[in-house]
Amino acid sequence: MTVSRQDHSTQGITRWRFVLVLMVMVALLLLILLRLVSLHTVDQPFLFEEGEKRIVRAQVQPARRGMITDRFGKPLAVSTAVTDISLNPQVFDLAQVAPLAKVLGISANRLTQQITAARQRGRGFFYVDRQVQPAQADQVVALGLEGLQFESRFRRYYPAAEVTAHVVGIVDIDGNGQEGLELAYNDYLTGTGGRRTVIRDRYGRVVKQLAVESVAQPGNDLRLTIDLRLQYLAYRELMAAVRQHHATSGSAVLLDAHNGDVLAMVNQPSYNPNNRAGLKPAYMRNRALADVLEPGSTMKPFTVAAALDSGRYTPSTLVDTSPGYLRVKNKTIRDHRDYGVLDVTGVITKSSNVGVTLISADLGAETVFKIMSAAGLGQATGLGFPGESVGILPYPEQMDDLRLATVSYGYGMAVSPLQLAQSYTSFTQHGCRLNATLLLDSESRPDCQRVMSDKVARQVLDILETVTSDLGTGRRARVAGYRVGGKTGTAHKVGENGYEDATYNAVFAGIAPLTDPDLVLVVAIDEPQGREYYGGEVAAPVFSRIMEQALRLRQIAPDDSTAAALIVAGGPK
């Protein structure tokens, strides 16, 4: 059988094709072997590092923020564990939006729009929800959705809500103080975060802890002088009064007369720091510290104290206030009516503007300024509270005859309710003014400031008691069973064109019990509406209700001998 030349040629081509394919396969095999060797030798450190980047994370452990408590350890601000949930828009499957939105209680359509917009912008991260409760976060984890990440942190919670909001303040979503003591002591309350190395799965869950570089250190706790019981009752009574008189706002400050501790500090309107929806910035201001007002007749006891301390006056020194008005420069100073001849005690009892004007003119600006300044008026209280106002007290050289007259009865100057309360401690501590404080464990309490002699302080207390008698302007401030002293104040507010005829501040500053003073309380109501607007009509009843409950809560024995006799006898017959 003969084989043609064409057949030999075909067999040769087939053999070369086989050899070529075999050589290509061998070359590919050699390349694969070389690549494997390279991956396990040359590239191994790099690949190991890249692998770790995808599963090994340096995780910051948040530190718990220090707790804020009242004087008895009741929590006013605490930090609770929560979870922040975020996702990678480039990885997350839009088909999984519905179950995620259902668990979190958010709009599925809105979440879809957010993810789509983030993808278009090339973003690789955004928060789905923050400060999610642990139980709800566990439900999201159980969904097993790719692209989600979970970060543990703490959320601030305020058990007393709006009752202590102005004192404690608030933090932002990242736990940084924004208002109140949360801001003033932010560094002290903030802890030091820890750091650890962990392995995470593709869902962002920690599956293994590799190393702990540092342990989170919690922040320091802050213990306040506030008594939460007194804070609640003061808030309740103030809120009721503001609503009753349709007032713009109000403040009340209660101090311990023995050491200056702030036992209660409340304001209206207030806000709930746990629910900030619709929060108005004006509601966040601590008016007891940040706002100032002309204190009106609550300043008259200091003018009288300056007169008594000068040695030229006694409580029985006579002052002729006839005919009930007095012309000073271009202004006519008037009393409610012509009181005729009053003694110094009667000047306070009847709240005579003419009487204190005559006394201050006789004493001179330097003497009046000295005692008011020593009482802390026109000066910061030293609390270190953010936004605190120092008030206004004109210097002697700024006081002409008219300015001196107005200052003597509380116009032409400005004080905060806290300053006013602090100044009244001058009468409770033998003429030595205490410094108000909000921190119970304060190591350094400044020595009290001498304002007047012990004798004068006692005389002023006795004079203040006449204000709450049947003859005085503060009858509605009385507390059954206790000797109470204080001073009403009613001041016209300043408007665009000077003092307004129909807008007032109603104030009452008082002390109880007078035998051994325990509490100092100031109540200020801004712009009460209606027929009642005097301090004795608006602020004095609030003072009475707060003071009565506070004295009984503190278990202070009654010192009114008449009332005590009735109590022992089983009540009136």
Side-chain angles (χ1 to χ4, degrees):
M1 182 180 202
T2 60
V3 180
S4 66
R5 181 177 299 176
Q6 185 177 358
D7 292 335
H8 280 293
S9 175
T10 302
Q11 292 177 0
I13 292 172
T14 302
R15 188 179 301 113
W16 277 107
R17 284 179 178 175
F18 173 77
V19 171
L20 180 63
V21 170
L22 182 62
M23 290 176 63
V24 170
M25 292 181 65
V26 170
L28 290 174
L29 181 61
L30 287 174
L31 286 174
I32 291 172
L33 290 173
L34 288 173
R35 183 57 180 163
L36 288 173
V37 172
S38 175
L39 290 174
H40 284 82
T41 56
V42 179
D43 295 336
Q44 194 272 343
F46 170 77
L47 294 175
F48 180 78
E49 182 180 350
E50 289 298 309
E52 282 197 328
K53 285 181 180 178
R54 284 158 176 77
I55 64 172
V56 178
R57 294 287 186 272
Q59 186 182 61
V60 176
Q61 291 182 289
R64 186 182 296 272
R65 190 175 177 86
M67 182 186 297
I68 301 178
T69 69
D70 82 338
R71 66 190 304 113
F72 299 115
K74 295 179 182 178
L76 305 180
V78 295
S79 294
T80 58
V82 292
T83 301
D84 286 350
I85 301 176
S86 60
L87 63 74
N88 185 340
Q90 311 302 328
V91 176
F92 188 80
D93 185 358
L94 288 176
Q96 303 298 326
V97 167
L100 175 61
K102 183 179 180 181
V103 172
L104 293 176
I106 59 179
S107 169
N109 290 334
R110 182 179 179 184
L111 182 57
T112 300
Q113 293 173 359
Q114 290 175 330
I115 295 174
T116 302
R119 282 182 178 178
Q120 293 173 351
R121 297 191 189 100
R123 293 176 58 187
F125 169 92
F126 81 86
Y127 283 112
V128 179
D129 201 356
R130 302 192 70 178
Q131 298 187 349
V132 177
Q133 294 298 320
Q136 191 177 27
D138 290 341
Q139 294 179 16
V140 177
V141 172
L143 296 176
L145 305 180
E146 187 173 3
L148 289 182
Q149 294 182 2
F150 305 88
E151 183 178 359
S152 297
R153 59 176 60 246
F154 293 98
R155 178 187 178 185
R156 205 64 162 165
Y157 175 67
Y158 303 92
E162 65 268 19
V163 175
T164 58
H166 292 115
V167 176
V168 176
I170 57 172
V171 298
D172 61 17
I173 197 168
D174 294 315
N176 300 311
Q178 297 297 297
E179 292 287 341
L181 295 176
E182 292 275 32
L183 174 60
Y185 292 91
N186 186 59
D187 293 340
Y188 183 80
L189 292 165
T190 303
T192 304
R195 191 175 180 86
R196 63 175 181 169
T197 304
V198 299
I199 294 178
R200 286 183 172 181
D201 63 10
R202 62 176 181 164
Y203 302 119
R205 297 174 296 192
V206 176
V207 297
K208 186 178 181 181
Q209 180 173 287
L210 299 179
V212 177
E213 300 175 24
S214 60
V215 179
Q217 299 295 326
N220 299 293
D221 293 340
L222 207 59
R223 193 176 181 190
L224 307 186
T225 59
I226 295 293
D227 183 337
L228 190 55
R229 303 170 305 168
L230 303 180
Q231 184 82 3
Y232 268 114
L233 74 87
Y235 182 84
R236 180 186 64 210
E237 298 297 344
L238 179 69
M239 181 172 62
V242 169
R243 290 179 177 178
Q244 176 187 352
H245 296 283
H246 306 286
T248 303
S249 61
S251 299
V253 178
L254 182 67
L255 301 185
D256 188 324
H258 300 289
N259 52 29
D261 285 354
V262 179
L263 299 176
M265 182 188 296
V266 295
N267 299 279
Q268 276 291 307
S270 187
Y271 68 99
N272 185 354
N274 299 313
N275 182 7
R276 305 177 192 180
L279 175 62
K280 297 181 180 180
Y283 289 2
M284 300 172 66
R285 191 169 68 252
N286 188 340
R287 299 173 186 274
L289 282 164
D291 285 8
V292 293
L293 51 84
E294 288 184 305
S297 296
T298 57
M299 287 295 100
K300 291 175 182 175
F302 292 99
T303 304
V304 166
L308 298 176
D309 205 45
S310 70
R312 295 158 54 189
Y313 289 81
T314 69
S316 59
T317 300
L318 299 179
V319 180
D320 187 0
T321 66
S322 297
Y325 59 89
L326 180 67
R327 189 75 177 175
V328 179
K329 297 185 71 172
N330 61 342
K331 179 177 176 60
T332 301
I333 297 170
R334 299 180 182 275
D335 283 340
H336 187 63
R337 63 180 179 84
D338 182 5
Y339 294 115
V341 177
L342 296 172
D343 58 15
V344 170
T345 298
V347 168
I348 298 299
T349 307
K350 298 299 184 181
S351 195
S352 170
N353 294 335
V354 174
V356 293
T357 297
L358 294 171
I359 292 173
S360 64
D362 183 47
L363 295 174
E366 188 71 40
T367 302
V368 174
F369 172 83
K370 181 179 178 181
I371 198 165
M372 289 187 176
S373 178
L377 302 171
Q379 303 171 34
T381 61
L383 286 180
F385 203 93
E388 179 182 357
S389 175
V390 298
I392 300 171
L393 178 64
Y395 290 105
E397 55 270 22
Q398 296 175 307
M399 296 190 206
D400 56 13
D401 292 344
L402 179 57
R403 189 72 179 273
L404 173 59
T406 57
V407 167
S408 73
Y409 55 84
Y411 278 82
M413 60 181 299
V415 301
S416 69
L418 177 63
Q419 281 180 323
L420 184 57
Q422 180 181 261
S423 69
Y424 266 63
T425 63
S426 307
F427 307 128
T428 70
Q429 288 300 301
H430 313 289
C432 198
R433 190 247 313 162
L434 298 170
N435 291 280
T437 180
L438 270 170
L439 300 185
L440 186 64
D441 301 323
S442 180
E443 296 179 358
S444 58
R445 287 179 181 258
D447 294 335
C448 65
Q449 172 71 43
R450 175 59 60 185
V451 180
M452 65 195 76
S453 69
D454 182 11
K455 178 183 177 181
V456 169
R458 186 67 252 178
Q459 288 175 330
V460 173
L461 282 179
D462 293 336
I463 292 173
L464 291 177
E465 187 173 15
T466 67
V467 175
T468 61
S469 70
D470 290 337
L471 300 176
T473 59
R475 296 182 296 276
R476 298 173 70 177
R478 286 184 289 203
V479 176
Y482 297 91
R483 295 178 59 203
V484 175
K487 188 67 191 75
T488 56
T490 308
H492 288 275
K493 293 192 65 176
V494 178
E496 294 182 359
N497 301 313
Y499 287 103
E500 301 285 348
D501 291 333
T503 56
Y504 303 87
N505 277 315
V507 186
F508 190 88
I511 301 162
L514 293 184
T515 302
D516 182 12
D518 184 69
L519 296 172
V520 174
L521 173 60
V522 167
V523 177
I525 307 294
D526 184 26
E527 294 188 20
Q529 306 296 315
R531 297 168 63 181
E532 294 184 332
Y533 56 86
Y534 286 109
E537 297 172 325
V538 176
V542 184
F543 171 94
S544 176
R545 292 192 292 270
I546 295 175
M547 185 63 78
E548 179 179 12
Q549 297 172 77
L551 289 171
R552 301 194 188 286
L553 275 174
R554 287 169 65 83
Q555 299 182 349
I556 304 301
D559 66 336
D560 189 321
S561 58
T562 303
L566 290 174
I567 293 171
V568 172
K573 301 297 184 182

